[in-house]
Amino acid sequence: MDDLRLALLLNAVSPAVGGVLVRGEKGTAKSTAVRALAALMPDVDVVAGCRFSCAPGAPDPGCPDGPHEAAPGTARPARMVELPVGASEDRLVGALDIERALADGVKAFEPGLLADAHRGVLYVDEVNLLHDHLVDLLLDAAAMGASYVEREGVSVRHAARFLLVGTMNPEEGELRPQLLDRFGLTVEVAASREPEQRVEVVRRRLAYDDDPAAFAARWADEEAALRERIAAARTLLPRVGLGDAALRQIAATCAAFEVDGMRADIVMARTATALAAWAGRADVREEDVRQAALLALPHRRRRNPFDAPGLDEDKLDETLERFGGDDRPDPDADPDPDPGTDPSGPDGGGGGGVPPQSQGPESGPPAEQPGPSESPAGQPEPSEPAGAPSADAGAGDRSAERAAEPFRTKVLSVPGLGEGAAGRRSRARTEHGRTTGARQPRGALTKLHLAATVQAAAPHQRARGRSGPGLVVRRDDLRQATREGREGNLVLFVVDASGSMAARRRMSSVKGAVLSLLLDAYQRRDKVGLVTFRGTGAEVALPPTSSVDAAAARLEELPTGGRTPLAAGLLKAHDVLRVERLRDPSRRPLLVVVTDGRATGARGGDALALAGRAARLHAAEGTAAVVVDCEAGPVRLGLAGNLARELGGTAVTLDALRADSIAGLVRDVRAATTGTDSTVRNRRAA
């Protein structure tokens, strides 16, 4: 919490730092800390009556409420505007009155949240769940410092410079890299494990609940002192010098940690300058650069979504020492004017270390040691006949194997046209995309189809008494554009973790393939779930979630061994999909079964027949399915292909799953799902 407090205060001192991303587990008061920042922000002077918070001394020349005459402004508290995850585009950027714009040529504009947040704080709780189209608008506004609203030839622009603060729980999914890079600083928060600190947290919370006014009065003096210190640091900030030695350390640190682009260098420079001002100094020192690196670099070092943010402090110290130079200021020559304002102390925050990394969800059952009945490592076990008991049916679990290196996969999409959540996998009717037609709006008009609107209004102009050049447009003439884009799907993985998979040491390759598909699901904004089957049954290793890295963690620790209850795995997947259809009926599923097609069960039972019946349940409900065939060796039984036909889907081998090997796989999925299997046969023959 010290690092969180410091990061927020540094942005209050210098909004140019670029905002804060707060990552942490649930129940750690992330939102409480962020909302408390509003009370500490200095007041802002605004032009009286301006809805866009123009500064009196330098009003925006393009302000929709302008031009503004020179006049003294009015002071008001800095705003903290909250952006809900489910907000509409119009609520974020503002809305034009399309009817008045067409009929009268008037730019009747209702400002959105970006206008409200200008010169203040824009706070997004659960920022990792924000829809992609809203993320794009935020990126544009953050990059240009302005918001543009373009609707069918009508254009409005206004200034939108704000401090972006977001909070998120990593278990619910990660941020897109473009948005992640827009946050100047990032901090990891976790609940204290010290009983005394936890007791104090509970005591203060109960005191606030009993009497909020008395609790606020108790801390009023400390808040006032903190507010004054922020104002003093803002006054000092322009006089803080950033010497060549500090700049060399910043550049060398960013280069040593191989961060992308140059934004990290700029953010570190601004953060180090703000740290010096917060400490009451007019020069930047090595400790400022070090603390700036700990706050600005961890989230910029991630190379894939499964990497935990963090920084090697030993490497950081070595880099700072190597590039320190001889012109570093002597601490004794320029003593701190306020010895009590050490940024590493309780008043200044910075912990000086890497914040505790977020822990993934607890994994499934711990891997057990190999049983005595297993064959020695590296020796293949004899293959088992289809439908017969597994050769290692009584064997103990094998310890989890590491996943092979992930690779890029081709897109597996769901056939048809959906209406699910915005994403990047399958075709769908969405609010964004290419225009395919027009319809009368249901509710508020969001995307005008101009040609269809004019066509609807044109026949009635004489009856409406049109006499001038303007078009007489009424509400029932307006037409909503229908658009086709991409949706995110629920990708449910059903992974065979039985002994037949482990016998040939294939689990490393299998895990690598599933990890590759998980990475693809992350990039396409899908929900994912994980069902595994082995031994005597199946289990839901991870219920459907947006947290792809949680699925990767469960997969990495997945043990193997025992029989192959394929039917149980398919039935468990059917139950999961049935529940998800009730929870989120618009999100279409894609079933990915990773197996060699073998099925074993109790003696006397036909395990393959049971698996076929379970597969036909999915086919009857039209679930799109892909079977990743893990069978290896010179003799192949083709059981995975049989399973794919029962599912009404298609089969693909592990080797063919790579992006450069499976051109046409999507066509195979569509052909198999619609019942025309000629494409599949031609593909296999080729």
Side-chain angles (χ1 to χ4, degrees), residues 7 10-11 14-19 163 182-185 267 270-272 274 300:
L10 292 178
N11 276 274
S14 176
V17 166
L163 174 61
R182 287 293 176 185
F183 286 97
L185 310 179
V267 170
R270 290 171 175 167
T271 305
R300 292 185 166 89

Side-chain angles (χ1 to χ4, degrees), residues 23 174 188 298 301-302 304-311 357-358:
R23 298 164 46 94
E174 287 291 349
E188 296 273 343
R301 296 193 59 250
R302 303 183 68 192
N304 66 64
F306 311 133
D307 291 340
L311 215 61
Q357 303 303 320
S358 59

Side-chain angles (χ1 to χ4, degrees), residues 289-338:
V289 176
R290 185 182 193 278
Q291 184 65 62
L294 293 173
L295 294 173
L297 296 188
H299 63 299
R300 292 185 166 89
R301 296 193 59 250
R302 303 183 68 192
R303 288 296 177 261
N304 66 64
F306 311 133
D307 291 340
L311 215 61
D312 184 342
E313 288 196 62
D314 292 336
K315 182 176 180 179
L316 174 61
D317 291 335
E318 179 183 341
T319 303
L320 293 176
E321 179 67 25
R322 179 181 176 187
F323 291 91
D326 296 327
D327 55 343
R328 286 176 290 178
D330 183 0
D332 296 331
D334 184 17
D336 191 330
D338 185 359

Side-chain angles (χ1 to χ4, degrees), residues 31-105:
S31 300
T32 302
V34 173
R35 292 188 177 103
L37 179 65
L40 301 176
M41 297 285 287
D43 292 347
V44 295
D45 292 328
V46 299
V47 174
C50 178
R51 297 174 297 167
F52 301 88
S53 303
C54 284
D60 180 10
C63 177
D65 285 355
H68 299 298
E69 297 180 358
T74 58
R76 64 160 175 79
R79 291 174 180 159
M80 175 168 287
V81 178
E82 295 195 32
L83 171 61
V85 169
S88 66
E89 178 181 340
D90 287 345
R91 185 70 187 97
L92 178 61
V93 301
L96 289 170
D97 189 330
I98 301 295
E99 189 172 352
R100 289 188 63 191
L102 284 175
D104 305 327

Side-chain angles (χ1 to χ4, degrees), residues 87 127 149 152 172 184 213 282 326 353 356 360 397 414 422 482 496 579 581 683:
V127 64
V149 182
E152 305 296 347
E172 297 173 342
D326 296 327
D397 294 342
V414 178
T482 57
D496 184 349
V579 174
R581 284 190 180 99
R683 178 67 54 185

